[in-house]
Structures are given as structure tokens and as C-alpha cells.
Amino acid sequence: MEKVRVRFAPSPTGYLHVGGARTALFNWLFARHHGGTFILRIEDTDRTRSTEEAIEQIIASLRWLGLDWDEFYRQTERIHIHQRYAEELLRRGAAYEADGAVWFRMPKEGITVVDDLIAGKVEFPNRELKDLVILRSDGTPTYNFACVVDDTEMGITHVIRGDEHLPNTPKQLQIYWALGLTPPKFAHIPLILGPDRTKLSKRHGAVSVLEYKRKGILPEAMVNFLARLGWSHGDQEIFSRDELIQYFDLAGVGQSPAVFDEQKLLWLNREWMRRTPVPELAGLVKEFLVMEGVASQEEVESISEARFLRAVELLRDRTHTLVELAHTARFLFPRDISVPQDAQDLLRPELREPFLALAQAIEGLSTGDPAEMEAAIRKVLEELGLPLKAVALPMRVVVTGSRVGPGLFEVLAMAGPKLVAERLRSAAAKLQ
């Protein structure tokens, strides 16, 4: 294969959403798989809609996903090149001027065949192709023309994009041929649909890629999820970045629309949280603790590193996002813990005295080691003539605010003797 050169060419008229991110990823993987070049080209010639904020957001999204580029261009810096090509088309008689703009002359007979690497051969009757403006009256190029010029100048070998662009392809091919140029190979990726198999919308998850970062999705999980939207390699579901680069090729891209399933994204994220080294995951969770208002920066910094690492290791298996993990860890900090509605009936008046006795015994512990915590609790319960099951779930609820979680003594050790004693006394006071 010739030296692969591909591009991701977003229009900066809004945020980068799931469909655009998948297109960027497929191009990036194709380039990396073939040892080629990945180009980021900002198509900002629509001056009325393009914004610097959108450009910054697109770049931030790609960086979060780990998609690095080898070359970077902005179309507005290349207008003199587009104008030169327009003059060549005028010279050849393939274009004409009208109403202050330059128009490309489309053929009126025959068909234009797009030989697509994914969709196969697609035919377009030329009578349906209308003449199109290639240079606006202000001298700026339109999409279809600028695409051809830039892809030519940049030596693009493969144009990999969403199949909503398939109707543009015959127009672009006619421009290539009018200039005597060899077009690149085209590969149009099928749409992404919502779970109800309608066009993907905000209610399905067609939001900014960075919104998923804010929701606590790991970039590794997002990349894995995007890669599987329309591409497969056997039955494998979980792919590292290196595996994606190794296996990705256009032959694995299907012809049918992909279905966006947010539950699958959450499942993948939990798998990637489990695979992430605990210290790295803990560092990310700390950011979300502050961002979500679970704890202050000072409270996060004051917690014992060993205790926090242990907490993250034990809690991550029961959560799907960094946001969820941060909220699940709220019991580690000196904040009020509310008892969930479905656990209110566990807190019976007869627990007041056991809670007070347990608080006194636990408060005197030196380290809060799980074994030390267990021994102290069992000793008190033995003196009171109570089985562990009489207090285990109520204790868990008043200390953590949840009915479920890791082993009771591990959880209590994570919270530490001081917080456990305080919460038991607080709960006892409400049981009077």
C-alpha cells in the first residue's frame, strides 16, 4: 500500500460529538495501523458559524481521547491556494462566474460512480447534480471545493468519513476529474443510531465528547466504545489502544448503522476502572471529589494515602464512573451522611444503646485496622448478648449511607475510628 495519509476535518461550528469523535478515531487508527500520517484540518471557511471556542473544544476533545496529529492546518490560512485552483477551473472552462461567485459546471448526462471501500459501488445520475458555487462572492471557498483542493495539496490517500457525506462525493469527484487529478480512495462509515434505531440525538448521548469526561468516563473506555461502534475484530469487546492499532482496518467496518448503547459504555468504563492501576485511578477520583463537592481540596489532601488507595481499590468494583466512585467514597470525609429512604426502617430505637457502646469502644482504637475493628465490635456485642447481624446492616447504613459495599469491617476501617464513632453517636441521638 502507498504511504497512508488521512485527515480528520471538522467544521468548528459546535462541539465535537460522538459521531465526529468516531470518525477522528477511525482515521487515527487507520494511519497508525499502516504507519502513515494523521492530519487535523480545521475547516473554518464558514466565517459566520465558525468560532475559536469550538476549535479549542475540538482540540481538547481529541487530546483527552489521546488522538495526536502529525500535521495541523486551518483552511482560512489556505484561501490563496483555493483561489488558484478556482482560476485553473475557469481557465479550463469547467467553471464560470455569476452573481459575483465562481460556479463549477456539472455534467448533465451519464452517471458518476463512487467506488466506496465500505459501501461498494454507488451510482449517481449526473442530471441530479446541480452546478455548485466553489468560491463565494467574498472569495472564500465552499466545502466541496475546499475539500478537493486541500486533500490534493496534502496528498490524502484515503478519505474516511461519515456516510452523510456520500452525496457530496460525486460532486467532489467531478472537480477532481475536471482538474485532471486522481481522487483519493473513499470510505464512508455508516451512521450511529440511538437504541430506538432513530437518528442519534442529545437524548441518546449525542453530546460533547468532553461531557463524557465530566461524567467520569475514562478516555480508554471512550476510545474502546467508539472503536466498537461499527467496527469489530471477532468477538473481542475490550481493546487496549495498542490492540486497536494492531487490528484496525477498514475490512472490519460493517455496512449497517451502529447502535449507541450507553449501558455498554458504562460497562466498558467499569472494566477499564478495574484495569487502571490503583494510584492512577485514585488521582483521578481526587479531582472528582472536589469537582462534585464531595470533599474540599484540604479534606482530600488530609486523608491518609494508604487508606484512600485501599478505599479506591475496594469501591471501584461496585461503581461505573469516576463520579459514582467519588460519591460512593463520601463516607471517608467528615460530612453528614444521610440514610437512604429504603434503609430508614433499619434504625430502630433498641439500637441506641448498642450504638453508644460500640462508639465508645471504637473511638479508643489506635489504627482502625479491619481486624482490630472487628475484635472491638465483637467484644462489645458479646457483652451485650447480641449477634453481629443485629447491628451489621444498620451500622453500615449510618456510617456509609448505603446498604451495600465491601466487607463491613473493611468499610469501617476505611472511615476510621473517629468518624465511625461520631456517626454512631449521631445516629443514637436521633433514636431517642
PDB file of all heavy atoms in Angstrom, residues 217 221 224 236-238 261-275 319-320:
ATOM      1  N   ILE A 217     -16.152   9.278  32.686  1.00  0.00           N
ATOM      2  CA  ILE A 217     -15.745   8.191  31.787  1.00  0.00           C
ATOM      3  C   ILE A 217     -14.245   8.308  31.537  1.00  0.00           C
ATOM      4  O   ILE A 217     -13.728   9.405  31.308  1.00  0.00           O
ATOM      5  CB  ILE A 217     -16.518   8.280  30.454  1.00  0.00           C
ATOM      6  CG1 ILE A 217     -18.032   8.159  30.687  1.00  0.00           C
ATOM      7  CG2 ILE A 217     -16.034   7.222  29.468  1.00  0.00           C
ATOM      8  CD1 ILE A 217     -18.499   6.826  31.251  1.00  0.00           C
ATOM      9  N   ALA A 221     -11.847   3.920  28.021  1.00  0.00           N
ATOM     10  CA  ALA A 221     -13.162   3.313  27.819  1.00  0.00           C
ATOM     11  C   ALA A 221     -13.886   3.968  26.652  1.00  0.00           C
ATOM     12  O   ALA A 221     -14.535   3.292  25.843  1.00  0.00           O
ATOM     13  CB  ALA A 221     -13.989   3.439  29.087  1.00  0.00           C
ATOM     14  N   ASN A 224     -12.352   2.749  23.407  1.00  0.00           N
ATOM     15  CA  ASN A 224     -12.780   1.365  23.209  1.00  0.00           C
ATOM     16  C   ASN A 224     -14.217   1.334  22.692  1.00  0.00           C
ATOM     17  O   ASN A 224     -14.554   0.634  21.722  1.00  0.00           O
ATOM     18  CB  ASN A 224     -12.671   0.630  24.537  1.00  0.00           C
ATOM     19  CG  ASN A 224     -12.767  -0.887  24.434  1.00  0.00           C
ATOM     20  OD1 ASN A 224     -12.308  -1.607  25.304  1.00  0.00           O
ATOM     21  ND2 ASN A 224     -13.406  -1.391  23.403  1.00  0.00           N
ATOM     22  N   GLN A 236     -14.162 -10.087  20.262  1.00  0.00           N
ATOM     23  CA  GLN A 236     -13.494  -9.315  21.308  1.00  0.00           C
ATOM     24  C   GLN A 236     -14.225  -7.995  21.557  1.00  0.00           C
ATOM     25  O   GLN A 236     -14.654  -7.317  20.628  1.00  0.00           O
ATOM     26  CB  GLN A 236     -12.035  -9.041  20.906  1.00  0.00           C
ATOM     27  CG  GLN A 236     -11.188  -8.412  21.997  1.00  0.00           C
ATOM     28  CD  GLN A 236      -9.715  -8.380  21.627  1.00  0.00           C
ATOM     29  OE1 GLN A 236      -9.263  -9.151  20.781  1.00  0.00           O
ATOM     30  NE2 GLN A 236      -8.955  -7.494  22.251  1.00  0.00           N
ATOM     31  N   GLU A 237     -14.384  -7.639  22.830  1.00  0.00           N
ATOM     32  CA  GLU A 237     -15.072  -6.402  23.209  1.00  0.00           C
ATOM     33  C   GLU A 237     -14.118  -5.368  23.806  1.00  0.00           C
ATOM     34  O   GLU A 237     -14.264  -4.178  23.575  1.00  0.00           O
ATOM     35  CB  GLU A 237     -16.188  -6.692  24.227  1.00  0.00           C
ATOM     36  CG  GLU A 237     -17.394  -7.392  23.631  1.00  0.00           C
ATOM     37  CD  GLU A 237     -18.229  -6.482  22.740  1.00  0.00           C
ATOM     38  OE1 GLU A 237     -17.957  -5.272  22.687  1.00  0.00           O
ATOM     39  OE2 GLU A 237     -19.142  -6.991  22.070  1.00  0.00           O
ATOM     40  N   ILE A 238     -13.153  -5.832  24.607  1.00  0.00           N
ATOM     41  CA  ILE A 238     -12.257  -4.911  25.302  1.00  0.00           C
ATOM     42  C   ILE A 238     -10.917  -4.872  24.569  1.00  0.00           C
ATOM     43  O   ILE A 238     -10.275  -5.901  24.375  1.00  0.00           O
ATOM     44  CB  ILE A 238     -12.080  -5.333  26.773  1.00  0.00           C
ATOM     45  CG1 ILE A 238     -13.444  -5.309  27.475  1.00  0.00           C
ATOM     46  CG2 ILE A 238     -11.098  -4.399  27.488  1.00  0.00           C
ATOM     47  CD1 ILE A 238     -13.422  -5.846  28.886  1.00  0.00           C
ATOM     48  N   ASP A 261     -25.177   2.520  22.641  1.00  0.00           N
ATOM     49  CA  ASP A 261     -25.730   1.911  23.852  1.00  0.00           C
ATOM     50  C   ASP A 261     -24.948   2.429  25.052  1.00  0.00           C
ATOM     51  O   ASP A 261     -23.840   1.972  25.325  1.00  0.00           O
ATOM     52  CB  ASP A 261     -25.629   0.382  23.747  1.00  0.00           C
ATOM     53  CG  ASP A 261     -26.224  -0.320  24.956  1.00  0.00           C
ATOM     54  OD1 ASP A 261     -26.619   0.365  25.918  1.00  0.00           O
ATOM     55  OD2 ASP A 261     -26.278  -1.562  24.939  1.00  0.00           O
ATOM     56  N   GLU A 262     -25.535   3.377  25.783  1.00  0.00           N
ATOM     57  CA  GLU A 262     -24.812   3.974  26.904  1.00  0.00           C
ATOM     58  C   GLU A 262     -24.540   2.969  28.018  1.00  0.00           C
ATOM     59  O   GLU A 262     -23.553   3.087  28.742  1.00  0.00           O
ATOM     60  CB  GLU A 262     -25.587   5.176  27.466  1.00  0.00           C
ATOM     61  CG  GLU A 262     -24.745   5.986  28.434  1.00  0.00           C
ATOM     62  CD  GLU A 262     -25.133   7.452  28.518  1.00  0.00           C
ATOM     63  OE1 GLU A 262     -25.467   8.046  27.483  1.00  0.00           O
ATOM     64  OE2 GLU A 262     -25.087   7.979  29.627  1.00  0.00           O
ATOM     65  N   GLN A 263     -25.400   1.951  28.141  1.00  0.00           N
ATOM     66  CA  GLN A 263     -25.153   0.918  29.156  1.00  0.00           C
ATOM     67  C   GLN A 263     -23.871   0.149  28.847  1.00  0.00           C
ATOM     68  O   GLN A 263     -23.131  -0.237  29.757  1.00  0.00           O
ATOM     69  CB  GLN A 263     -26.349  -0.054  29.240  1.00  0.00           C
ATOM     70  CG  GLN A 263     -27.610   0.572  29.788  1.00  0.00           C
ATOM     71  CD  GLN A 263     -27.381   1.262  31.124  1.00  0.00           C
ATOM     72  OE1 GLN A 263     -26.840   0.668  32.068  1.00  0.00           O
ATOM     73  NE2 GLN A 263     -27.770   2.528  31.213  1.00  0.00           N
ATOM     74  N   LYS A 264     -23.608  -0.052  27.565  1.00  0.00           N
ATOM     75  CA  LYS A 264     -22.360  -0.731  27.184  1.00  0.00           C
ATOM     76  C   LYS A 264     -21.160   0.146  27.503  1.00  0.00           C
ATOM     77  O   LYS A 264     -20.114  -0.344  27.946  1.00  0.00           O
ATOM     78  CB  LYS A 264     -22.380  -1.087  25.698  1.00  0.00           C
ATOM     79  CG  LYS A 264     -21.138  -1.843  25.255  1.00  0.00           C
ATOM     80  CD  LYS A 264     -21.239  -2.303  23.824  1.00  0.00           C
ATOM     81  CE  LYS A 264     -19.986  -3.066  23.417  1.00  0.00           C
ATOM     82  NZ  LYS A 264     -20.048  -3.526  22.008  1.00  0.00           N
ATOM     83  N   LEU A 265     -21.310   1.464  27.285  1.00  0.00           N
ATOM     84  CA  LEU A 265     -20.230   2.397  27.633  1.00  0.00           C
ATOM     85  C   LEU A 265     -19.941   2.330  29.131  1.00  0.00           C
ATOM     86  O   LEU A 265     -18.770   2.303  29.542  1.00  0.00           O
ATOM     87  CB  LEU A 265     -20.615   3.817  27.225  1.00  0.00           C
ATOM     88  CG  LEU A 265     -19.659   4.933  27.663  1.00  0.00           C
ATOM     89  CD1 LEU A 265     -18.250   4.701  27.128  1.00  0.00           C
ATOM     90  CD2 LEU A 265     -20.179   6.294  27.197  1.00  0.00           C
ATOM     91  N   LEU A 266     -20.989   2.285  29.951  1.00  0.00           N
ATOM     92  CA  LEU A 266     -20.800   2.204  31.409  1.00  0.00           C
ATOM     93  C   LEU A 266     -20.143   0.886  31.796  1.00  0.00           C
ATOM     94  O   LEU A 266     -19.283   0.849  32.686  1.00  0.00           O
ATOM     95  CB  LEU A 266     -22.146   2.363  32.124  1.00  0.00           C
ATOM     96  CG  LEU A 266     -22.790   3.751  32.026  1.00  0.00           C
ATOM     97  CD1 LEU A 266     -24.185   3.739  32.631  1.00  0.00           C
ATOM     98  CD2 LEU A 266     -21.919   4.795  32.710  1.00  0.00           C
ATOM     99  N   TRP A 267     -20.535  -0.192  31.130  1.00  0.00           N
ATOM    100  CA  TRP A 267     -19.916  -1.494  31.408  1.00  0.00           C
ATOM    101  C   TRP A 267     -18.424  -1.463  31.055  1.00  0.00           C
ATOM    102  O   TRP A 267     -17.581  -1.912  31.835  1.00  0.00           O
ATOM    103  CB  TRP A 267     -20.624  -2.588  30.599  1.00  0.00           C
ATOM    104  CG  TRP A 267     -19.951  -3.922  30.699  1.00  0.00           C
ATOM    105  CD1 TRP A 267     -20.017  -4.804  31.728  1.00  0.00           C
ATOM    106  CD2 TRP A 267     -19.049  -4.506  29.735  1.00  0.00           C
ATOM    107  NE1 TRP A 267     -19.230  -5.912  31.454  1.00  0.00           N
ATOM    108  CE2 TRP A 267     -18.625  -5.757  30.251  1.00  0.00           C
ATOM    109  CE3 TRP A 267     -18.576  -4.091  28.498  1.00  0.00           C
ATOM    110  CZ2 TRP A 267     -17.751  -6.590  29.562  1.00  0.00           C
ATOM    111  CZ3 TRP A 267     -17.700  -4.926  27.805  1.00  0.00           C
ATOM    112  CH2 TRP A 267     -17.301  -6.157  28.333  1.00  0.00           C
ATOM    113  N   LEU A 268     -18.120  -0.910  29.884  1.00  0.00           N
ATOM    114  CA  LEU A 268     -16.718  -0.803  29.476  1.00  0.00           C
ATOM    115  C   LEU A 268     -15.936   0.078  30.446  1.00  0.00           C
ATOM    116  O   LEU A 268     -14.776  -0.221  30.772  1.00  0.00           O
ATOM    117  CB  LEU A 268     -16.616  -0.209  28.065  1.00  0.00           C
ATOM    118  CG  LEU A 268     -16.807  -1.157  26.890  1.00  0.00           C
ATOM    119  CD1 LEU A 268     -16.919  -0.369  25.595  1.00  0.00           C
ATOM    120  CD2 LEU A 268     -15.660  -2.154  26.807  1.00  0.00           C
ATOM    121  N   ASN A 269     -16.567   1.142  30.908  1.00  0.00           N
ATOM    122  CA  ASN A 269     -15.857   2.043  31.823  1.00  0.00           C
ATOM    123  C   ASN A 269     -15.523   1.344  33.129  1.00  0.00           C
ATOM    124  O   ASN A 269     -14.438   1.523  33.682  1.00  0.00           O
ATOM    125  CB  ASN A 269     -16.705   3.288  32.098  1.00  0.00           C
ATOM    126  CG  ASN A 269     -15.853   4.441  32.590  1.00  0.00           C
ATOM    127  OD1 ASN A 269     -14.903   4.858  31.936  1.00  0.00           O
ATOM    128  ND2 ASN A 269     -16.165   4.949  33.763  1.00  0.00           N
ATOM    129  N   ARG A 270     -16.466   0.531  33.636  1.00  0.00           N
ATOM    130  CA  ARG A 270     -16.170  -0.213  34.865  1.00  0.00           C
ATOM    131  C   ARG A 270     -15.014  -1.193  34.633  1.00  0.00           C
ATOM    132  O   ARG A 270     -14.131  -1.336  35.488  1.00  0.00           O
ATOM    133  CB  ARG A 270     -17.409  -0.976  35.350  1.00  0.00           C
ATOM    134  CG  ARG A 270     -17.147  -1.694  36.680  1.00  0.00           C
ATOM    135  CD  ARG A 270     -18.402  -2.219  37.317  1.00  0.00           C
ATOM    136  NE  ARG A 270     -18.985  -3.312  36.565  1.00  0.00           N
ATOM    137  CZ  ARG A 270     -20.016  -4.036  36.991  1.00  0.00           C
ATOM    138  NH1 ARG A 270     -20.583  -3.760  38.161  1.00  0.00           N
ATOM    139  NH2 ARG A 270     -20.493  -5.007  36.262  1.00  0.00           N
ATOM    140  N   GLU A 271     -15.006  -1.838  33.463  1.00  0.00           N
ATOM    141  CA  GLU A 271     -13.902  -2.750  33.158  1.00  0.00           C
ATOM    142  C   GLU A 271     -12.570  -2.003  33.114  1.00  0.00           C
ATOM    143  O   GLU A 271     -11.555  -2.496  33.623  1.00  0.00           O
ATOM    144  CB  GLU A 271     -14.162  -3.455  31.816  1.00  0.00           C
ATOM    145  CG  GLU A 271     -15.326  -4.413  31.834  1.00  0.00           C
ATOM    146  CD  GLU A 271     -15.164  -5.521  32.864  1.00  0.00           C
ATOM    147  OE1 GLU A 271     -14.063  -6.118  32.927  1.00  0.00           O
ATOM    148  OE2 GLU A 271     -16.120  -5.764  33.623  1.00  0.00           O
ATOM    149  N   TRP A 272     -12.575  -0.813  32.521  1.00  0.00           N
ATOM    150  CA  TRP A 272     -11.332  -0.043  32.448  1.00  0.00           C
ATOM    151  C   TRP A 272     -10.936   0.546  33.795  1.00  0.00           C
ATOM    152  O   TRP A 272      -9.743   0.692  34.074  1.00  0.00           O
ATOM    153  CB  TRP A 272     -11.432   1.036  31.365  1.00  0.00           C
ATOM    154  CG  TRP A 272     -11.115   0.455  30.026  1.00  0.00           C
ATOM    155  CD1 TRP A 272     -11.983   0.126  29.030  1.00  0.00           C
ATOM    156  CD2 TRP A 272      -9.822   0.054  29.560  1.00  0.00           C
ATOM    157  NE1 TRP A 272     -11.322  -0.445  27.968  1.00  0.00           N
ATOM    158  CE2 TRP A 272      -9.987  -0.492  28.262  1.00  0.00           C
ATOM    159  CE3 TRP A 272      -8.540   0.101  30.104  1.00  0.00           C
ATOM    160  CZ2 TRP A 272      -8.923  -0.987  27.514  1.00  0.00           C
ATOM    161  CZ3 TRP A 272      -7.477  -0.384  29.346  1.00  0.00           C
ATOM    162  CH2 TRP A 272      -7.672  -0.915  28.075  1.00  0.00           C
ATOM    163  N   MET A 273     -11.910   0.842  34.652  1.00  0.00           N
ATOM    164  CA  MET A 273     -11.582   1.282  36.012  1.00  0.00           C
ATOM    165  C   MET A 273     -10.887   0.153  36.775  1.00  0.00           C
ATOM    166  O   MET A 273      -9.967   0.384  37.553  1.00  0.00           O
ATOM    167  CB  MET A 273     -12.854   1.736  36.744  1.00  0.00           C
ATOM    168  CG  MET A 273     -13.303   3.137  36.331  1.00  0.00           C
ATOM    169  SD  MET A 273     -14.970   3.588  36.896  1.00  0.00           S
ATOM    170  CE  MET A 273     -14.782   3.477  38.666  1.00  0.00           C
ATOM    171  N   ARG A 274     -11.315  -1.063  36.526  1.00  0.00           N
ATOM    172  CA  ARG A 274     -10.691  -2.227  37.179  1.00  0.00           C
ATOM    173  C   ARG A 274      -9.274  -2.459  36.676  1.00  0.00           C
ATOM    174  O   ARG A 274      -8.422  -2.973  37.407  1.00  0.00           O
ATOM    175  CB  ARG A 274     -11.532  -3.484  36.911  1.00  0.00           C
ATOM    176  CG  ARG A 274     -12.845  -3.531  37.678  1.00  0.00           C
ATOM    177  CD  ARG A 274     -13.688  -4.696  37.187  1.00  0.00           C
ATOM    178  NE  ARG A 274     -14.876  -4.895  38.010  1.00  0.00           N
ATOM    179  CZ  ARG A 274     -15.878  -5.685  37.683  1.00  0.00           C
ATOM    180  NH1 ARG A 274     -15.845  -6.361  36.536  1.00  0.00           N
ATOM    181  NH2 ARG A 274     -16.924  -5.812  38.479  1.00  0.00           N
ATOM    182  N   ARG A 275      -9.036  -2.101  35.417  1.00  0.00           N
ATOM    183  CA  ARG A 275      -7.722  -2.335  34.808  1.00  0.00           C
ATOM    184  C   ARG A 275      -6.735  -1.197  35.069  1.00  0.00           C
ATOM    185  O   ARG A 275      -5.541  -1.354  34.844  1.00  0.00           O
ATOM    186  CB  ARG A 275      -7.877  -2.520  33.285  1.00  0.00           C
ATOM    187  CG  ARG A 275      -8.572  -3.809  32.914  1.00  0.00           C
ATOM    188  CD  ARG A 275      -9.050  -3.782  31.459  1.00  0.00           C
ATOM    189  NE  ARG A 275      -9.783  -5.011  31.165  1.00  0.00           N
ATOM    190  CZ  ARG A 275      -9.414  -5.907  30.255  1.00  0.00           C
ATOM    191  NH1 ARG A 275      -8.322  -5.700  29.540  1.00  0.00           N
ATOM    192  NH2 ARG A 275     -10.124  -6.991  30.044  1.00  0.00           N
ATOM    193  N   THR A 319     -18.769   0.394  41.131  1.00  0.00           N
ATOM    194  CA  THR A 319     -19.167   1.652  40.501  1.00  0.00           C
ATOM    195  C   THR A 319     -18.816   1.633  39.021  1.00  0.00           C
ATOM    196  O   THR A 319     -17.971   0.848  38.577  1.00  0.00           O
ATOM    197  CB  THR A 319     -18.470   2.848  41.184  1.00  0.00           C
ATOM    198  OG1 THR A 319     -17.051   2.642  41.166  1.00  0.00           O
ATOM    199  CG2 THR A 319     -18.929   2.995  42.626  1.00  0.00           C
ATOM    200  N   HIS A 320     -19.480   2.515  38.255  1.00  0.00           N
ATOM    201  CA  HIS A 320     -19.291   2.520  36.810  1.00  0.00           C
ATOM    202  C   HIS A 320     -18.575   3.755  36.283  1.00  0.00           C
ATOM    203  O   HIS A 320     -18.099   3.745  35.145  1.00  0.00           O
ATOM    204  CB  HIS A 320     -20.648   2.402  36.106  1.00  0.00           C
ATOM    205  CG  HIS A 320     -21.300   1.076  36.278  1.00  0.00           C
ATOM    206  ND1 HIS A 320     -22.062   0.754  37.387  1.00  0.00           N
ATOM    207  CD2 HIS A 320     -21.292  -0.036  35.490  1.00  0.00           C
ATOM    208  CE1 HIS A 320     -22.504  -0.488  37.267  1.00  0.00           C
ATOM    209  NE2 HIS A 320     -22.051  -0.991  36.131  1.00  0.00           N
TER     210      HIS A 320
END
